PDB file of all heavy atoms in Angstrom:
ATOM      1  N   VAL A  69     -28.664 -33.176 -47.177  1.00  0.00           N
ATOM      2  CA  VAL A  69     -29.846 -32.322 -47.022  1.00  0.00           C
ATOM      3  C   VAL A  69     -29.516 -31.192 -46.053  1.00  0.00           C
ATOM      4  O   VAL A  69     -28.958 -31.423 -44.976  1.00  0.00           O
ATOM      5  CB  VAL A  69     -31.059 -33.114 -46.502  1.00  0.00           C
ATOM      6  CG1 VAL A  69     -32.250 -32.185 -46.236  1.00  0.00           C
ATOM      7  CG2 VAL A  69     -31.457 -34.207 -47.503  1.00  0.00           C
ATOM      8  N   VAL A  70     -29.869 -29.971 -46.435  1.00  0.00           N
ATOM      9  CA  VAL A  70     -29.758 -28.809 -45.551  1.00  0.00           C
ATOM     10  C   VAL A  70     -31.170 -28.371 -45.174  1.00  0.00           C
ATOM     11  O   VAL A  70     -32.034 -28.236 -46.038  1.00  0.00           O
ATOM     12  CB  VAL A  70     -29.022 -27.644 -46.240  1.00  0.00           C
ATOM     13  CG1 VAL A  70     -29.029 -26.392 -45.339  1.00  0.00           C
ATOM     14  CG2 VAL A  70     -27.602 -28.031 -46.603  1.00  0.00           C
ATOM     15  N   LEU A  71     -31.388 -28.150 -43.888  1.00  0.00           N
ATOM     16  CA  LEU A  71     -32.641 -27.586 -43.403  1.00  0.00           C
ATOM     17  C   LEU A  71     -32.365 -26.169 -42.910  1.00  0.00           C
ATOM     18  O   LEU A  71     -31.436 -25.955 -42.119  1.00  0.00           O
ATOM     19  CB  LEU A  71     -33.225 -28.417 -42.258  1.00  0.00           C
ATOM     20  CG  LEU A  71     -33.538 -29.887 -42.559  1.00  0.00           C
ATOM     21  CD1 LEU A  71     -34.077 -30.569 -41.309  1.00  0.00           C
ATOM     22  CD2 LEU A  71     -34.530 -30.014 -43.698  1.00  0.00           C
ATOM     23  N   GLU A  72     -33.163 -25.239 -43.366  1.00  0.00           N
ATOM     24  CA  GLU A  72     -33.025 -23.827 -42.985  1.00  0.00           C
ATOM     25  C   GLU A  72     -34.370 -23.325 -42.468  1.00  0.00           C
ATOM     26  O   GLU A  72     -35.336 -23.264 -43.227  1.00  0.00           O
ATOM     27  CB  GLU A  72     -32.616 -22.985 -44.215  1.00  0.00           C
ATOM     28  CG  GLU A  72     -32.718 -21.477 -44.012  1.00  0.00           C
ATOM     29  CD  GLU A  72     -33.180 -20.729 -45.259  1.00  0.00           C
ATOM     30  OE1 GLU A  72     -33.318 -21.345 -46.340  1.00  0.00           O
ATOM     31  OE2 GLU A  72     -33.416 -19.513 -45.151  1.00  0.00           O
ATOM     32  N   TRP A  73     -34.437 -23.009 -41.173  1.00  0.00           N
ATOM     33  CA  TRP A  73     -35.683 -22.415 -40.663  1.00  0.00           C
ATOM     34  C   TRP A  73     -35.689 -20.932 -40.979  1.00  0.00           C
ATOM     35  O   TRP A  73     -34.685 -20.234 -40.766  1.00  0.00           O
ATOM     36  CB  TRP A  73     -35.829 -22.683 -39.160  1.00  0.00           C
ATOM     37  CG  TRP A  73     -36.729 -23.847 -38.950  1.00  0.00           C
ATOM     38  CD1 TRP A  73     -38.065 -23.811 -38.693  1.00  0.00           C
ATOM     39  CD2 TRP A  73     -36.382 -25.240 -39.080  1.00  0.00           C
ATOM     40  NE1 TRP A  73     -38.581 -25.095 -38.652  1.00  0.00           N
ATOM     41  CE2 TRP A  73     -37.566 -25.988 -38.884  1.00  0.00           C
ATOM     42  CE3 TRP A  73     -35.203 -25.920 -39.355  1.00  0.00           C
ATOM     43  CZ2 TRP A  73     -37.596 -27.380 -38.924  1.00  0.00           C
ATOM     44  CZ3 TRP A  73     -35.219 -27.301 -39.410  1.00  0.00           C
ATOM     45  CH2 TRP A  73     -36.405 -28.017 -39.199  1.00  0.00           C
ATOM     46  N   THR A  74     -36.808 -20.451 -41.516  1.00  0.00           N
ATOM     47  CA  THR A  74     -36.838 -19.081 -42.016  1.00  0.00           C
ATOM     48  C   THR A  74     -38.134 -18.367 -41.661  1.00  0.00           C
ATOM     49  O   THR A  74     -39.181 -19.005 -41.438  1.00  0.00           O
ATOM     50  CB  THR A  74     -36.621 -19.073 -43.549  1.00  0.00           C
ATOM     51  OG1 THR A  74     -36.456 -17.728 -44.007  1.00  0.00           O
ATOM     52  CG2 THR A  74     -37.791 -19.729 -44.275  1.00  0.00           C
ATOM     53  N   ASN A  75     -38.055 -17.050 -41.605  1.00  0.00           N
ATOM     54  CA  ASN A  75     -39.192 -16.158 -41.356  1.00  0.00           C
ATOM     55  C   ASN A  75     -38.831 -14.856 -42.048  1.00  0.00           C
ATOM     56  O   ASN A  75     -37.911 -14.146 -41.621  1.00  0.00           O
ATOM     57  CB  ASN A  75     -39.382 -15.959 -39.846  1.00  0.00           C
ATOM     58  CG  ASN A  75     -40.410 -14.891 -39.494  1.00  0.00           C
ATOM     59  OD1 ASN A  75     -40.872 -14.130 -40.347  1.00  0.00           O
ATOM     60  ND2 ASN A  75     -40.753 -14.805 -38.216  1.00  0.00           N
ATOM     61  N   HIS A  76     -39.511 -14.533 -43.115  1.00  0.00           N
ATOM     62  CA  HIS A  76     -39.110 -13.395 -43.945  1.00  0.00           C
ATOM     63  C   HIS A  76     -39.187 -12.050 -43.231  1.00  0.00           C
ATOM     64  O   HIS A  76     -38.605 -11.067 -43.683  1.00  0.00           O
ATOM     65  CB  HIS A  76     -39.957 -13.347 -45.223  1.00  0.00           C
ATOM     66  CG  HIS A  76     -41.389 -12.968 -44.998  1.00  0.00           C
ATOM     67  ND1 HIS A  76     -42.307 -13.804 -44.383  1.00  0.00           N
ATOM     68  CD2 HIS A  76     -42.071 -11.820 -45.297  1.00  0.00           C
ATOM     69  CE1 HIS A  76     -43.482 -13.208 -44.320  1.00  0.00           C
ATOM     70  NE2 HIS A  76     -43.366 -12.000 -44.872  1.00  0.00           N
ATOM     71  N   LEU A  77     -39.910 -11.981 -42.101  1.00  0.00           N
ATOM     72  CA  LEU A  77     -40.026 -10.733 -41.355  1.00  0.00           C
ATOM     73  C   LEU A  77     -38.969 -10.597 -40.257  1.00  0.00           C
ATOM     74  O   LEU A  77     -38.898  -9.557 -39.598  1.00  0.00           O
ATOM     75  CB  LEU A  77     -41.424 -10.620 -40.736  1.00  0.00           C
ATOM     76  CG  LEU A  77     -42.571 -10.521 -41.751  1.00  0.00           C
ATOM     77  CD1 LEU A  77     -43.917 -10.535 -41.037  1.00  0.00           C
ATOM     78  CD2 LEU A  77     -42.431  -9.264 -42.603  1.00  0.00           C
ATOM     79  N   CYS A  78     -38.174 -11.596 -40.070  1.00  0.00           N
ATOM     80  CA  CYS A  78     -37.139 -11.574 -39.039  1.00  0.00           C
ATOM     81  C   CYS A  78     -35.923 -10.782 -39.521  1.00  0.00           C
ATOM     82  O   CYS A  78     -35.380 -11.067 -40.597  1.00  0.00           O
ATOM     83  CB  CYS A  78     -36.729 -13.003 -38.698  1.00  0.00           C
ATOM     84  SG  CYS A  78     -35.290 -13.107 -37.608  1.00  0.00           S
ATOM     85  N   PRO A  79     -35.444  -9.803 -38.756  1.00  0.00           N
ATOM     86  CA  PRO A  79     -34.284  -9.011 -39.192  1.00  0.00           C
ATOM     87  C   PRO A  79     -33.026  -9.840 -39.429  1.00  0.00           C
ATOM     88  O   PRO A  79     -32.204  -9.489 -40.278  1.00  0.00           O
ATOM     89  CB  PRO A  79     -34.084  -8.023 -38.038  1.00  0.00           C
ATOM     90  CG  PRO A  79     -35.412  -7.933 -37.361  1.00  0.00           C
ATOM     91  CD  PRO A  79     -36.020  -9.293 -37.505  1.00  0.00           C
ATOM     92  N   TYR A  80     -32.875 -10.930 -38.701  1.00  0.00           N
ATOM     93  CA  TYR A  80     -31.689 -11.772 -38.878  1.00  0.00           C
ATOM     94  C   TYR A  80     -31.764 -12.549 -40.189  1.00  0.00           C
ATOM     95  O   TYR A  80     -30.754 -12.746 -40.861  1.00  0.00           O
ATOM     96  CB  TYR A  80     -31.541 -12.727 -37.691  1.00  0.00           C
ATOM     97  CG  TYR A  80     -31.311 -12.008 -36.391  1.00  0.00           C
ATOM     98  CD1 TYR A  80     -32.386 -11.599 -35.601  1.00  0.00           C
ATOM     99  CD2 TYR A  80     -30.028 -11.726 -35.950  1.00  0.00           C
ATOM    100  CE1 TYR A  80     -32.180 -10.927 -34.405  1.00  0.00           C
ATOM    101  CE2 TYR A  80     -29.806 -11.058 -34.756  1.00  0.00           C
ATOM    102  CZ  TYR A  80     -30.891 -10.659 -33.985  1.00  0.00           C
ATOM    103  OH  TYR A  80     -30.677  -9.984 -32.809  1.00  0.00           O
ATOM    104  N   VAL A  81     -32.960 -12.984 -40.554  1.00  0.00           N
ATOM    105  CA  VAL A  81     -33.153 -13.612 -41.856  1.00  0.00           C
ATOM    106  C   VAL A  81     -32.944 -12.577 -42.961  1.00  0.00           C
ATOM    107  O   VAL A  81     -32.279 -12.842 -43.972  1.00  0.00           O
ATOM    108  CB  VAL A  81     -34.563 -14.240 -41.952  1.00  0.00           C
ATOM    109  CG1 VAL A  81     -34.855 -14.712 -43.371  1.00  0.00           C
ATOM    110  CG2 VAL A  81     -34.689 -15.403 -40.972  1.00  0.00           C
ATOM    111  N   GLN A  82     -33.501 -11.382 -42.749  1.00  0.00           N
ATOM    112  CA  GLN A  82     -33.347 -10.314 -43.741  1.00  0.00           C
ATOM    113  C   GLN A  82     -31.882  -9.946 -43.937  1.00  0.00           C
ATOM    114  O   GLN A  82     -31.455  -9.614 -45.049  1.00  0.00           O
ATOM    115  CB  GLN A  82     -34.143  -9.091 -43.298  1.00  0.00           C
ATOM    116  CG  GLN A  82     -35.652  -9.322 -43.331  1.00  0.00           C
ATOM    117  CD  GLN A  82     -36.438  -8.183 -42.711  1.00  0.00           C
ATOM    118  OE1 GLN A  82     -35.875  -7.266 -42.105  1.00  0.00           O
ATOM    119  NE2 GLN A  82     -37.769  -8.241 -42.840  1.00  0.00           N
ATOM    120  N   LYS A  83     -31.089 -10.025 -42.869  1.00  0.00           N
ATOM    121  CA  LYS A  83     -29.645  -9.774 -42.975  1.00  0.00           C
ATOM    122  C   LYS A  83     -29.010 -10.692 -44.005  1.00  0.00           C
ATOM    123  O   LYS A  83     -28.285 -10.248 -44.898  1.00  0.00           O
ATOM    124  CB  LYS A  83     -28.992  -9.974 -41.611  1.00  0.00           C
ATOM    125  CG  LYS A  83     -27.497 -10.278 -41.631  1.00  0.00           C
ATOM    126  CD  LYS A  83     -27.020 -10.739 -40.260  1.00  0.00           C
ATOM    127  CE  LYS A  83     -25.648 -11.362 -40.303  1.00  0.00           C
ATOM    128  NZ  LYS A  83     -25.182 -11.776 -38.956  1.00  0.00           N
ATOM    129  N   HIS A  84     -29.274 -11.980 -43.899  1.00  0.00           N
ATOM    130  CA  HIS A  84     -28.618 -12.951 -44.778  1.00  0.00           C
ATOM    131  C   HIS A  84     -29.166 -12.914 -46.201  1.00  0.00           C
ATOM    132  O   HIS A  84     -28.412 -13.093 -47.162  1.00  0.00           O
ATOM    133  CB  HIS A  84     -28.726 -14.355 -44.186  1.00  0.00           C
ATOM    134  CG  HIS A  84     -27.863 -14.541 -42.985  1.00  0.00           C
ATOM    135  ND1 HIS A  84     -26.499 -14.689 -43.079  1.00  0.00           N
ATOM    136  CD2 HIS A  84     -28.164 -14.573 -41.664  1.00  0.00           C
ATOM    137  CE1 HIS A  84     -25.982 -14.807 -41.864  1.00  0.00           C
ATOM    138  NE2 HIS A  84     -26.974 -14.756 -40.988  1.00  0.00           N
ATOM    139  N   TYR A  85     -30.458 -12.675 -46.350  1.00  0.00           N
ATOM    140  CA  TYR A  85     -31.023 -12.577 -47.696  1.00  0.00           C
ATOM    141  C   TYR A  85     -30.723 -11.227 -48.330  1.00  0.00           C
ATOM    142  O   TYR A  85     -30.464 -11.143 -49.540  1.00  0.00           O
ATOM    143  CB  TYR A  85     -32.530 -12.842 -47.668  1.00  0.00           C
ATOM    144  CG  TYR A  85     -32.861 -14.309 -47.670  1.00  0.00           C
ATOM    145  CD1 TYR A  85     -33.127 -14.988 -46.483  1.00  0.00           C
ATOM    146  CD2 TYR A  85     -32.885 -15.039 -48.861  1.00  0.00           C
ATOM    147  CE1 TYR A  85     -33.413 -16.339 -46.475  1.00  0.00           C
ATOM    148  CE2 TYR A  85     -33.174 -16.391 -48.862  1.00  0.00           C
ATOM    149  CZ  TYR A  85     -33.441 -17.039 -47.668  1.00  0.00           C
ATOM    150  OH  TYR A  85     -33.716 -18.393 -47.673  1.00  0.00           O
ATOM    151  N   GLY A  86     -30.744 -10.159 -47.529  1.00  0.00           N
ATOM    152  CA  GLY A  86     -30.446  -8.838 -48.063  1.00  0.00           C
ATOM    153  C   GLY A  86     -29.021  -8.716 -48.554  1.00  0.00           C
ATOM    154  O   GLY A  86     -28.740  -8.008 -49.530  1.00  0.00           O
ATOM    155  N   ALA A  87     -28.118  -9.438 -47.891  1.00  0.00           N
ATOM    156  CA  ALA A  87     -26.712  -9.424 -48.291  1.00  0.00           C
ATOM    157  C   ALA A  87     -26.418 -10.424 -49.404  1.00  0.00           C
ATOM    158  O   ALA A  87     -25.309 -10.455 -49.938  1.00  0.00           O
ATOM    159  CB  ALA A  87     -25.830  -9.727 -47.087  1.00  0.00           C
ATOM    160  N   GLY A  88     -27.419 -11.245 -49.751  1.00  0.00           N
ATOM    161  CA  GLY A  88     -27.211 -12.277 -50.772  1.00  0.00           C
ATOM    162  C   GLY A  88     -26.473 -13.492 -50.255  1.00  0.00           C
ATOM    163  O   GLY A  88     -26.141 -14.400 -51.028  1.00  0.00           O
ATOM    164  N   ASN A  89     -26.242 -13.539 -48.949  1.00  0.00           N
ATOM    165  CA  ASN A  89     -25.450 -14.630 -48.361  1.00  0.00           C
ATOM    166  C   ASN A  89     -26.186 -15.972 -48.410  1.00  0.00           C
ATOM    167  O   ASN A  89     -25.600 -17.002 -48.774  1.00  0.00           O
ATOM    168  CB  ASN A  89     -25.102 -14.270 -46.916  1.00  0.00           C
ATOM    169  CG  ASN A  89     -24.200 -15.293 -46.266  1.00  0.00           C
ATOM    170  OD1 ASN A  89     -23.165 -15.669 -46.805  1.00  0.00           O
ATOM    171  ND2 ASN A  89     -24.587 -15.752 -45.081  1.00  0.00           N
ATOM    172  N   MET A  90     -27.463 -15.958 -48.043  1.00  0.00           N
ATOM    173  CA  MET A  90     -28.210 -17.219 -48.003  1.00  0.00           C
ATOM    174  C   MET A  90     -28.395 -17.774 -49.409  1.00  0.00           C
ATOM    175  O   MET A  90     -28.232 -18.980 -49.648  1.00  0.00           O
ATOM    176  CB  MET A  90     -29.562 -17.005 -47.327  1.00  0.00           C
ATOM    177  CG  MET A  90     -30.263 -18.306 -46.943  1.00  0.00           C
ATOM    178  SD  MET A  90     -29.435 -19.177 -45.576  1.00  0.00           S
ATOM    179  CE  MET A  90     -29.979 -18.205 -44.167  1.00  0.00           C
ATOM    180  N   GLN A  91     -28.706 -16.903 -50.357  1.00  0.00           N
ATOM    181  CA  GLN A  91     -28.904 -17.358 -51.732  1.00  0.00           C
ATOM    182  C   GLN A  91     -27.607 -17.950 -52.312  1.00  0.00           C
ATOM    183  O   GLN A  91     -27.642 -18.958 -53.015  1.00  0.00           O
ATOM    184  CB  GLN A  91     -29.376 -16.210 -52.625  1.00  0.00           C
ATOM    185  CG  GLN A  91     -30.673 -15.553 -52.187  1.00  0.00           C
ATOM    186  CD  GLN A  91     -30.445 -14.324 -51.327  1.00  0.00           C
ATOM    187  OE1 GLN A  91     -29.617 -14.337 -50.427  1.00  0.00           O
ATOM    188  NE2 GLN A  91     -31.182 -13.256 -51.622  1.00  0.00           N
ATOM    189  N   ALA A  92     -26.485 -17.301 -52.024  1.00  0.00           N
ATOM    190  CA  ALA A  92     -25.203 -17.791 -52.534  1.00  0.00           C
ATOM    191  C   ALA A  92     -24.890 -19.168 -51.968  1.00  0.00           C
ATOM    192  O   ALA A  92     -24.410 -20.064 -52.682  1.00  0.00           O
ATOM    193  CB  ALA A  92     -24.088 -16.811 -52.188  1.00  0.00           C
ATOM    194  N   LEU A  93     -25.180 -19.353 -50.679  1.00  0.00           N
ATOM    195  CA  LEU A  93     -24.928 -20.647 -50.051  1.00  0.00           C
ATOM    196  C   LEU A  93     -25.878 -21.705 -50.608  1.00  0.00           C
ATOM    197  O   LEU A  93     -25.479 -22.862 -50.832  1.00  0.00           O
ATOM    198  CB  LEU A  93     -25.086 -20.510 -48.546  1.00  0.00           C
ATOM    199  CG  LEU A  93     -24.412 -21.561 -47.664  1.00  0.00           C
ATOM    200  CD1 LEU A  93     -22.925 -21.673 -47.973  1.00  0.00           C
ATOM    201  CD2 LEU A  93     -24.627 -21.226 -46.192  1.00  0.00           C
ATOM    202  N   GLN A  94     -27.134 -21.321 -50.835  1.00  0.00           N
ATOM    203  CA  GLN A  94     -28.091 -22.261 -51.429  1.00  0.00           C
ATOM    204  C   GLN A  94     -27.592 -22.752 -52.783  1.00  0.00           C
ATOM    205  O   GLN A  94     -27.613 -23.960 -53.067  1.00  0.00           O
ATOM    206  CB  GLN A  94     -29.458 -21.587 -51.584  1.00  0.00           C
ATOM    207  CG  GLN A  94     -30.175 -21.353 -50.270  1.00  0.00           C
ATOM    208  CD  GLN A  94     -31.362 -20.412 -50.408  1.00  0.00           C
ATOM    209  OE1 GLN A  94     -31.510 -19.703 -51.399  1.00  0.00           O
ATOM    210  NE2 GLN A  94     -32.217 -20.382 -49.388  1.00  0.00           N
ATOM    211  N   ARG A  95     -27.145 -21.843 -53.600  1.00  0.00           N
ATOM    212  CA  ARG A  95     -26.689 -22.225 -54.943  1.00  0.00           C
ATOM    213  C   ARG A  95     -25.395 -23.042 -54.892  1.00  0.00           C
ATOM    214  O   ARG A  95     -25.240 -24.014 -55.630  1.00  0.00           O
ATOM    215  CB  ARG A  95     -26.510 -20.977 -55.803  1.00  0.00           C
ATOM    216  CG  ARG A  95     -27.829 -20.360 -56.228  1.00  0.00           C
ATOM    217  CD  ARG A  95     -27.664 -19.213 -57.207  1.00  0.00           C
ATOM    218  NE  ARG A  95     -28.959 -18.865 -57.778  1.00  0.00           N
ATOM    219  CZ  ARG A  95     -29.827 -18.035 -57.218  1.00  0.00           C
ATOM    220  NH1 ARG A  95     -29.510 -17.432 -56.068  1.00  0.00           N
ATOM    221  NH2 ARG A  95     -30.994 -17.788 -57.789  1.00  0.00           N
ATOM    222  N   ARG A  96     -24.490 -22.630 -54.024  1.00  0.00           N
ATOM    223  CA  ARG A  96     -23.228 -23.369 -53.923  1.00  0.00           C
ATOM    224  C   ARG A  96     -23.469 -24.821 -53.510  1.00  0.00           C
ATOM    225  O   ARG A  96     -22.926 -25.755 -54.108  1.00  0.00           O
ATOM    226  CB  ARG A  96     -22.315 -22.696 -52.901  1.00  0.00           C
ATOM    227  CG  ARG A  96     -20.997 -23.442 -52.713  1.00  0.00           C
ATOM    228  CD  ARG A  96     -20.210 -22.943 -51.529  1.00  0.00           C
ATOM    229  NE  ARG A  96     -19.220 -23.925 -51.136  1.00  0.00           N
ATOM    230  CZ  ARG A  96     -18.589 -23.940 -49.983  1.00  0.00           C
ATOM    231  NH1 ARG A  96     -18.824 -22.991 -49.087  1.00  0.00           N
ATOM    232  NH2 ARG A  96     -17.714 -24.883 -49.701  1.00  0.00           N
ATOM    233  N   LEU A  97     -24.312 -25.036 -52.508  1.00  0.00           N
ATOM    234  CA  LEU A  97     -24.511 -26.389 -51.989  1.00  0.00           C
ATOM    235  C   LEU A  97     -25.406 -27.224 -52.900  1.00  0.00           C
ATOM    236  O   LEU A  97     -25.150 -28.416 -53.097  1.00  0.00           O
ATOM    237  CB  LEU A  97     -25.066 -26.329 -50.572  1.00  0.00           C
ATOM    238  CG  LEU A  97     -23.997 -26.286 -49.457  1.00  0.00           C
ATOM    239  CD1 LEU A  97     -23.037 -25.127 -49.656  1.00  0.00           C
ATOM    240  CD2 LEU A  97     -24.649 -26.217 -48.080  1.00  0.00           C
ATOM    241  N   THR A  98     -26.449 -26.620 -53.461  1.00  0.00           N
ATOM    242  CA  THR A  98     -27.300 -27.404 -54.359  1.00  0.00           C
ATOM    243  C   THR A  98     -26.569 -27.741 -55.656  1.00  0.00           C
ATOM    244  O   THR A  98     -26.760 -28.817 -56.220  1.00  0.00           O
ATOM    245  CB  THR A  98     -28.624 -26.676 -54.661  1.00  0.00           C
ATOM    246  OG1 THR A  98     -28.357 -25.375 -55.191  1.00  0.00           O
ATOM    247  CG2 THR A  98     -29.479 -26.553 -53.408  1.00  0.00           C
ATOM    248  N   ASP A  99     -25.703 -26.844 -56.125  1.00  0.00           N
ATOM    249  CA  ASP A  99     -24.894 -27.155 -57.312  1.00  0.00           C
ATOM    250  C   ASP A  99     -23.961 -28.332 -57.036  1.00  0.00           C
ATOM    251  O   ASP A  99     -23.585 -29.069 -57.953  1.00  0.00           O
ATOM    252  CB  ASP A  99     -24.070 -25.940 -57.747  1.00  0.00           C
ATOM    253  CG  ASP A  99     -24.915 -24.876 -58.435  1.00  0.00           C
ATOM    254  OD1 ASP A  99     -26.079 -25.156 -58.754  1.00  0.00           O
ATOM    255  OD2 ASP A  99     -24.398 -23.756 -58.630  1.00  0.00           O
ATOM    256  N   ALA A 100     -23.594 -28.498 -55.765  1.00  0.00           N
ATOM    257  CA  ALA A 100     -22.696 -29.595 -55.382  1.00  0.00           C
ATOM    258  C   ALA A 100     -23.462 -30.870 -55.037  1.00  0.00           C
ATOM    259  O   ALA A 100     -22.850 -31.862 -54.631  1.00  0.00           O
ATOM    260  CB  ALA A 100     -21.835 -29.174 -54.202  1.00  0.00           C
ATOM    261  N   GLY A 101     -24.800 -30.839 -55.178  1.00  0.00           N
ATOM    262  CA  GLY A 101     -25.581 -32.059 -54.983  1.00  0.00           C
ATOM    263  C   GLY A 101     -26.476 -32.095 -53.767  1.00  0.00           C
ATOM    264  O   GLY A 101     -27.157 -33.099 -53.524  1.00  0.00           O
ATOM    265  N   ALA A 102     -26.515 -31.021 -52.983  1.00  0.00           N
ATOM    266  CA  ALA A 102     -27.356 -31.010 -51.788  1.00  0.00           C
ATOM    267  C   ALA A 102     -28.814 -30.729 -52.126  1.00  0.00           C
ATOM    268  O   ALA A 102     -29.121 -30.092 -53.138  1.00  0.00           O
ATOM    269  CB  ALA A 102     -26.854 -29.965 -50.795  1.00  0.00           C
ATOM    270  N   VAL A 103     -29.692 -31.192 -51.262  1.00  0.00           N
ATOM    271  CA  VAL A 103     -31.100 -30.801 -51.269  1.00  0.00           C
ATOM    272  C   VAL A 103     -31.260 -29.748 -50.179  1.00  0.00           C
ATOM    273  O   VAL A 103     -30.882 -29.993 -49.024  1.00  0.00           O
ATOM    274  CB  VAL A 103     -32.016 -32.003 -50.982  1.00  0.00           C
ATOM    275  CG1 VAL A 103     -33.469 -31.552 -50.797  1.00  0.00           C
ATOM    276  CG2 VAL A 103     -31.907 -33.031 -52.094  1.00  0.00           C
ATOM    277  N   TRP A 104     -31.767 -28.576 -50.522  1.00  0.00           N
ATOM    278  CA  TRP A 104     -31.928 -27.491 -49.553  1.00  0.00           C
ATOM    279  C   TRP A 104     -33.415 -27.281 -49.310  1.00  0.00           C
ATOM    280  O   TRP A 104     -34.169 -26.964 -50.229  1.00  0.00           O
ATOM    281  CB  TRP A 104     -31.295 -26.206 -50.080  1.00  0.00           C
ATOM    282  CG  TRP A 104     -31.258 -25.076 -49.096  1.00  0.00           C
ATOM    283  CD1 TRP A 104     -32.329 -24.410 -48.547  1.00  0.00           C
ATOM    284  CD2 TRP A 104     -30.093 -24.446 -48.530  1.00  0.00           C
ATOM    285  NE1 TRP A 104     -31.913 -23.428 -47.689  1.00  0.00           N
ATOM    286  CE2 TRP A 104     -30.531 -23.428 -47.664  1.00  0.00           C
ATOM    287  CE3 TRP A 104     -28.719 -24.644 -48.706  1.00  0.00           C
ATOM    288  CZ2 TRP A 104     -29.664 -22.613 -46.956  1.00  0.00           C
ATOM    289  CZ3 TRP A 104     -27.841 -23.838 -47.994  1.00  0.00           C
ATOM    290  CH2 TRP A 104     -28.313 -22.833 -47.139  1.00  0.00           C
ATOM    291  N   LEU A 105     -33.832 -27.445 -48.058  1.00  0.00           N
ATOM    292  CA  LEU A 105     -35.223 -27.280 -47.680  1.00  0.00           C
ATOM    293  C   LEU A 105     -35.346 -26.086 -46.742  1.00  0.00           C
ATOM    294  O   LEU A 105     -34.811 -26.105 -45.626  1.00  0.00           O
ATOM    295  CB  LEU A 105     -35.749 -28.541 -46.988  1.00  0.00           C
ATOM    296  CG  LEU A 105     -35.620 -29.849 -47.775  1.00  0.00           C
ATOM    297  CD1 LEU A 105     -36.103 -31.029 -46.938  1.00  0.00           C
ATOM    298  CD2 LEU A 105     -36.394 -29.773 -49.081  1.00  0.00           C
ATOM    299  N   SER A 106     -36.014 -25.041 -47.205  1.00  0.00           N
ATOM    300  CA  SER A 106     -36.318 -23.893 -46.352  1.00  0.00           C
ATOM    301  C   SER A 106     -37.644 -24.183 -45.658  1.00  0.00           C
ATOM    302  O   SER A 106     -38.647 -24.457 -46.327  1.00  0.00           O
ATOM    303  CB  SER A 106     -36.428 -22.610 -47.179  1.00  0.00           C
ATOM    304  OG  SER A 106     -35.197 -22.302 -47.794  1.00  0.00           O
ATOM    305  N   VAL A 107     -37.662 -24.118 -44.335  1.00  0.00           N
ATOM    306  CA  VAL A 107     -38.837 -24.525 -43.563  1.00  0.00           C
ATOM    307  C   VAL A 107     -39.456 -23.316 -42.881  1.00  0.00           C
ATOM    308  O   VAL A 107     -38.780 -22.553 -42.200  1.00  0.00           O
ATOM    309  CB  VAL A 107     -38.455 -25.573 -42.498  1.00  0.00           C
ATOM    310  CG1 VAL A 107     -39.714 -26.121 -41.820  1.00  0.00           C
ATOM    311  CG2 VAL A 107     -37.641 -26.712 -43.117  1.00  0.00           C
TER     312      VAL A 107
END
Side-chain angles (χ1 to χ4, degrees):
V69 175
V70 175
L71 301 179
E72 168 216 354
W73 262 264
T74 188
N75 172 349
H76 70 289
L77 295 175
C78 172
Y80 297 89
V81 171
Q82 292 172 351
K83 158 192 166 179
H84 288 285
Y85 278 96
N89 184 51
M90 194 70 77
Q91 301 95 316
L93 201 55
Q94 289 167 344
R95 287 186 168 85
R96 178 191 162 196
L97 271 56
T98 56
D99 285 349
V103 172
W104 187 295
L105 304 177
S106 297
V107 187

